[in-house]
Amino acid sequence: MNKKTKILKADNQEDLLEAVRILQSGEVVAVPTETVYGLAADAQNIQALNKIFKAKNRPTNHPLIVHVASFAELSKWAKDIPPIVSVIAENFWPGPLTLLLKKHDDVNDVVTGGLKTIAIRIPQNKAFLKILNLLDTGLAAPSANPYKRISPTTAQHVMSGLSGKIDAIVDGGSCTIGLESTILDLTTDTIRILRHGPITKKMIESVLKISIESPDIHLEKVSGNMKSHYQPYTKTFLMSLAEIESYVSQQKNKEKVFGVIHYSNFDVSSNNIKTIQLSSKKASYSKLIYSALHQIDGMNVNEILVELPPSKDSWKDVLDRLSKATATDH
Ligand code: TXA
Ligand code: MG
């Protein structure tokens, strides 16, 4: 069914009230967060939750993150909350950190994809927090992209992926961080990072004063845990700059057009190469990498070549997302 997708403005109070009304009526609305745009629905309304899965074409056993306005609300969604959560919340909430806790018995199984655990965070984006404060429920919100595609960091990205499938988008401009939240599992004896993100292992350890784990392989149902994800439509490869240079020069006469996303200096001028240069600083790079992938994917190139990010700990989330953007499932 094709709907007319309305654009609402994040800095307009009337528009935010309209977003609230649409959410209360059981529809889905894309909202800005500091990480990526989310596709929000009332986390207590099963029919509304099903509309998220339908619009994204996402399998229903993939659990959603519940966003809440304040720490006091945590106990409505989770049980047996360990005391360490208050230390974590004090330091990192509102912000790009999602906690995995034991699900409260009253919470429906649709939002958690049938799991006994629940992912929850307090977001930082002002408009999103206003919407949450105007509601007396939490909002489930996965990234507002079609399943397996690149996450959206502008309202235009959401529009190009989900236009006609959702009622409204709250346009809050570009996301300030640009990569999905870190997911931290507090449901087992050892604290583990399940998805790398803007809040790094080091940052968490320095606050908790204990070491935590970040296994490369774990079995949790995190979309970040699928090999392929966040993918452009164009075939995409991750290579060092030297590899990009030699690959492109080998293919010179094959009439292929390459899109190159890089942060080091790259001076190949040739009419079969289109380039986007990003900053070599982590925060600025993260903010724009999804945009660059969206943009280059629309440039009519045959292959996208992305420069391998630095192998520093603070770039782990970037490497994780790019590895998934370039992976094949076989
Ligand atoms: O920054 C973010 O986290 C964004 C914004 C919108 O908040 N949201 C986001 O949602 O990235 P999504 O659905 O694209 O990714 C959330 C991840 C999924 O991979 C999901 O599998 C995992 O969280 N997750 C949610 N509930 C879980 C649970 N109970 N156990 C394990 N993983 C869970
Ligand atoms: Mg996602």
Side-chain angles (χ1 to χ4, degrees):
M1 210 184 17
N2 238 34
K3 302 173 173 222
K4 168 118 184 65
T5 303
K6 207 182 269 182
I7 303 268
L8 302 168
K9 288 272 168 218
D11 54 6
N12 181 313
Q13 185 67 12
E14 275 308 306
D15 279 13
L16 293 187
L17 289 172
E18 173 145 19
V20 166
R21 278 193 297 273
I22 299 172
L23 288 162
Q24 282 169 333
S25 75
E27 296 299 328
V28 298
V29 176
V31 293
T33 90
E34 67 278 23
T35 58
V36 300
Y37 274 72
L39 187 58
D42 179 350
Q44 289 175 315
N45 180 336
I46 289 171
Q47 281 168 349
L49 292 169
N50 281 325
K51 290 177 189 168
I52 292 182
F53 293 106
K54 190 162 175 236
K56 276 181 67 86
N57 200 18
R58 172 167 165 143
T60 52
N61 63 352
H62 281 232
L64 307 173
I65 295 177
V66 175
H67 300 73
V68 296
S70 71
F71 188 76
E73 282 173 63
L74 211 57
S75 56
K76 289 189 205 156
W77 302 92
K79 66 175 183 185
D80 307 334
I81 301 171
I84 208 164
V85 168
S86 45
V87 182
I88 297 173
E90 238 167 66
N91 284 276
F92 300 113
W93 275 355
L97 178 66
T98 296
L99 299 183
L100 196 65
L101 296 167
K102 293 201 175 117
K103 178 178 92 73
H104 194 293
D105 299 333
D106 294 348
V107 176
N108 67 76
D109 282 326
V110 176
V111 72
T112 62
L115 297 173
K116 295 287 168 236
T117 54
I118 186 160
I120 192 155
R121 82 177 181 105
I122 303 178
Q124 209 168 53
N125 179 279
K126 287 212 174 75
F128 191 13
L129 273 178
K130 273 190 193 160
I131 292 173
L132 284 168
N133 275 308
L134 288 163
L135 290 161
D136 58 1
T137 182
L139 289 174
S143 50
N145 51 291
Y147 182 55
K148 289 209 171 191
R149 293 296 157 197
I150 312 166
S151 296
T153 54
T154 65
Q156 290 71 33
H157 296 158
V158 180
M159 204 57 162
S160 73
L162 298 177
S163 168
K165 296 190 170 152
I166 61 177
D167 280 60
I169 302 173
V170 176
D171 185 350
S174 294
C175 298
T176 52
I177 294 176
L179 283 187
E180 296 85 351
S181 63
T182 306
I183 301 182
L184 191 66
D185 183 0
L186 298 172
T187 65
T188 62
D189 292 341
T190 49
I191 300 179
R192 300 180 299 169
I193 289 184
L194 297 184
R195 179 174 72 182
H196 289 289
I199 305 296
T200 63
K201 184 170 182 280
K202 255 195 203 149
M203 289 160 80
I204 299 167
E205 286 179 336
S206 77
V207 158
L208 298 185
K209 316 266 188 271
I210 52 169
S211 59
I212 62 167
E213 292 178 16
S214 62
D216 285 336
I217 298 170
H218 60 76
L219 300 173
E220 303 305 325
K221 272 211 186 93
V222 179
S223 51
N225 201 22
M226 287 185 310
K227 222 174 130 201
S228 80
H229 197 63
Y230 314 108
Q231 302 227 330
Y233 290 96
T234 315
K235 188 114 199 62
T236 304
F237 300 92
L238 193 57
M239 297 177 181
S240 69
L241 203 64
E243 286 169 330
I244 292 179
E245 279 163 354
S246 97
Y247 183 72
V248 167
S249 67
Q250 280 164 27
Q251 312 261 339
K252 247 191 182 133
N253 304 318
K254 295 199 181 145
E255 292 184 0
K256 265 192 195 168
V257 180
F258 298 99
V260 177
I261 298 176
H262 63 106
Y263 56 90
S264 311
N265 286 332
F266 176 67
D267 292 325
V268 178
S269 60
S270 158
N271 50 12
N272 69 337
I273 299 177
K274 298 180 181 176
T275 59
I276 296 181
Q277 177 157 18
L278 295 178
S279 170
S280 57
K281 296 209 170 68
K282 162 68 176 47
S284 322
Y285 183 101
S286 295
K287 191 174 174 198
L288 291 176
I289 180 61
Y290 282 148
S291 260
L293 285 166
H294 278 284
Q295 192 186 337
I296 215 151
D297 203 20
M299 280 181 169
N300 238 337
V301 297
N302 298 98
E303 288 176 5
I304 299 171
L305 313 177
V306 183
E307 181 183 2
L308 200 62
S311 55
K312 288 185 195 152
D313 195 52
S314 56
W315 284 74
K316 266 205 159 149
D317 51 355
V318 172
L319 177 63
D320 169 73
R321 304 308 188 275
L322 289 176
S323 304
K324 269 139 199 157
T326 54
T328 48
D329 267 330
H330 341 280

